[in-house]
């Protein structure tokens, strides 16, 4: 049954922004028609179909040839918002059901690279070091700009319920459509050809195929491609103008200016201006404030309650789920919450990384205790939602500085140890993780630290290789560890008999810390100075609070911490109370002196 169009202005800007905040995204075309925002969704749908039916992208059909393979499709609706929560646009994406294609594809034919988040943070760090300004380009309908080989083309039926004004029932695709298994690869190859044809002086990274670095007219130029997003970093305005002309003439793209939003992240670039008029970044901050607020509303977190002072209770160890405690009714909410928290922890909130990864092991065996602990983490994240991952160049710091630590037998269920690691580039945090040592059960703390150091060196070496591929350097990586025995083991030539049972893969760290393949300088530090300790266990409030902020989080996050202000307020109140007691004591002493002097005068008169 056809529904009448609702009366609404065609321009979303005519509506107050909060009119769309509580409206969930339609899951089907029918739900979109029933939505009070139907006119906006209809406009987005028609724009998407018009983009697909461009002559060089697809041939519309009114009937499908007999015997041909026809793939169904569906609309994916998304109300796009800016980082401040205001309305951006209504988006309707027509995607094919790629799972319905029975054609066999090799893995090489479907693989499409995407950059790691570490590479994105490394790009921002390089911008600060080399004074490059990051710019953002978004390619519209990117997959529809990738040509499909003639022997791989297919028919697509329009989504159920949609009726084209000209009676078209589908299209014969000449270019890739979202949802098909080969579309990502075709677009990746198209973007790569664009970079190699237009910019032959740029080199594609061996370690991350989405990163291109090189020099254009002696000026450093960096491009990072994340599906349809191009992040361009350069110092020369002429180079940026040339790239702008090239990408606009090749693809249908949108220029957003200086990078301010990426993957729902808010990017705040603080700049200074040279006498020549050119600007360069001095500090970059990444935050997820709006996403955290939306998650609290989604999972019904009572933000008016007193927030927890730490993400997790110190030493929390949830019992192994049993058939009596497993609750399948909360499996979907728990998975959704854990995955959302993992995204926060992996992007800008390393202070909750260990706690989220610990609870992730309960996704397949959900319990009420795990869901309660996950909601506590989200409540803590909300109370500290003004934390930002701040990046500012520290010229005195080494190029790469790593910290590693372990919690021996930290998992009470399996008695496996937990490894933690973080990596700084010129004082800017760019990588971190926390993971269980599943391949071995450490017999003592030295063995656990040895394995953790080997895993940390492996991760740090990947960043080192990416950097030296374009910026050759002989500077060694400083690896900090709080176990002096491990420092000795990795630098001495003879292997201790107590470590010969460890898997060979972990002994590579010895070659990296000595001999011709040396890449690391192991340094012993006190446990209180080990910044990776927060990735191995749930710390007590006193360590996760002010001391950690002073020693770890202050460089890790730009703190506007309410707890620090509370501590300062309490200290001020204590000082004021002590001052009042001292004044009261002094007043009592003066009164005693007056009484004593009066008694002495009376004795003299008598």
């Amino acid at each position: 049954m056809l529904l009448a169009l609702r009366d609404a202005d065609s321009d979303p800007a005519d509506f107050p922004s909060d009119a769309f905040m509580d409206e969930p995204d339609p899951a089907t075309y029918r739900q979109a028609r029933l939505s009070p925002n139907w006119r906006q969704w209809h406009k987005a749908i028609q724009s998407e179909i018009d983009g697909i039916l461009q002559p060089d992208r697809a041939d519309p059909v009114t009937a499908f040839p007999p015997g041909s393979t026809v793939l169904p499709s569906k609309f994916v609706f998304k109300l796009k918002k800016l980082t401040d929560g205001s309305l951006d646009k209504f988006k309707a994406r027509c995607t094919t059901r790629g799972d319905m294609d029975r054609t066999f594809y090799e893995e090489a034919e479907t693989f499409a690279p995407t950059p790691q988040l570490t590479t994105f943070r490394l790009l921002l760090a390089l911008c600060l070091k080399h004074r490059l300004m990051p710019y953002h380009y978004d390619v519209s309908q990117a997959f529809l700009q990738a040509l499909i080989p003639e022997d791989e083309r297919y028919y697509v039926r329009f989504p159920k319920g949609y009726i084209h004004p000209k009676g078209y029932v589908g299209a014969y695709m000449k270019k890739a459509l979202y949802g098909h298994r080969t579309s990502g690869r075709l677009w990746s190859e198209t973007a790569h050809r664009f970079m190699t044809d237009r910019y032959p002086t740029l080199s594609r990274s061996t370690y991350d195929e989405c990163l291109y670095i090189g020099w254009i007219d002696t000026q450093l130029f960096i491009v990072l491609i994340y599906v349809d997003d191009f992040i361009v970093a350069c110092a020369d305005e002429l180079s940026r103008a040339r790239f702008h002309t090239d990408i606009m003439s090749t693809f249908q793209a949108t220029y957003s200016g200086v990078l301010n939003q990426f993957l729902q992240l808010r990017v705040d670039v603080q700049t200074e201006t040279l006498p020549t008029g050119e600007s360069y970044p001095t500090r970059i901050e990444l935050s997820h404030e709006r996403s955290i607020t939306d998650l609290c509303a989604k999972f019904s977190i009572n933000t008016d309650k007193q927030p927890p002072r730490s993400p997790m209770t110190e030493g929390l160890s949830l019992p192994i789920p049993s058939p009596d405690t497993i609750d399948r009714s909360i499996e979907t909410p728990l998975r959704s919450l854990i995955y959302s928290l993992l995204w926060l922890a992996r992007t800008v909130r390393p202070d909750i990384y260990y706690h989220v990864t610990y609870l992730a092991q309960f996704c397949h065996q959900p319990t009420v205790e795990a869901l309660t602990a996950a909601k506590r983490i989200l409540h803590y994240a909300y109370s500290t939602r003004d934390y930002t991952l701040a990046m500012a160049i520290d010229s005195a710091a080494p190029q790469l500085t790593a910290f590693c630590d372990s919690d021996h037998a930290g998992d009470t269920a399996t008695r496996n140890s937990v490894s933690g690691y973080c990596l700084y580039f010129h004082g800017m945090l760019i990588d971190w993780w926390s993971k269980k040592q599943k391949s071995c059960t450490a017999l003592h703390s030295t063995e656990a630290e040895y394995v953790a150091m080997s895993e940390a060196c492996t991760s740090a070496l990947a960043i080192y290789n990416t950097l030296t591929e374009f910026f050759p350097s002989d500077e060694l990586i400083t690896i900090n560890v709080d176990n002096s025995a491990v420092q000795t083991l990795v630098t001495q030539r003879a292997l201790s008999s107590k470590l010969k049972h460890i898997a060979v893969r972990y002994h590579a760290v010895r070659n990296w810390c000595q001999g011709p393949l040396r890449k690391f300088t192991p340094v012993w530090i006190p446990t209180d100075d080990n910044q990776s300790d927060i990735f191995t266990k749930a710390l007590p409030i006193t360590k996760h609070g002010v001391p950690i902020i002073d020693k770890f989080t202050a460089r890790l996050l730009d703190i506007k911490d309410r707890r620090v202000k509370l501590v300062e307020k309490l200290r001020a109140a204590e000082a004021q109370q002590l001052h009042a007691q001292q004044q009261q004591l002094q007043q009592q002493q003066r009164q005693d002196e007056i009484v004593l002097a009066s008694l002495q005068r009376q004795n003299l008169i008598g």
Side-chain angles (χ1 to χ4, degrees), residues 47 59 78 206 251 269 276 283 287 465 482 551 566 588 594:
S47 176
D59 292 332
K78 183 66 177 177
T206 307
F251 306 120
V269 181
T276 58
R283 181 184 178 89
S287 62
N465 291 336
D482 58 7
K551 297 179 181 178
L566 178 60
Q588 185 65 35
I594 293 173

Side-chain angles (χ1 to χ4, degrees), residues 79 94 156 178 200 219 224 228 236 251 275 294-295 342 384 446 462 470 598:
L79 185 63
C94 182
V156 171
Y178 285 86
Q219 296 290 334
L224 181 68
D228 56 354
D236 186 15
F251 306 120
D294 292 345
L295 285 175
L342 277 173
T384 57
T446 300
F470 302 102
S598 175

Side-chain angles (χ1 to χ4, degrees), residues 398-409:
Q399 176 173 270
L400 289 175
T401 305
F403 293 82
C404 65
D405 195 13
S406 71
D407 182 24
H408 180 231

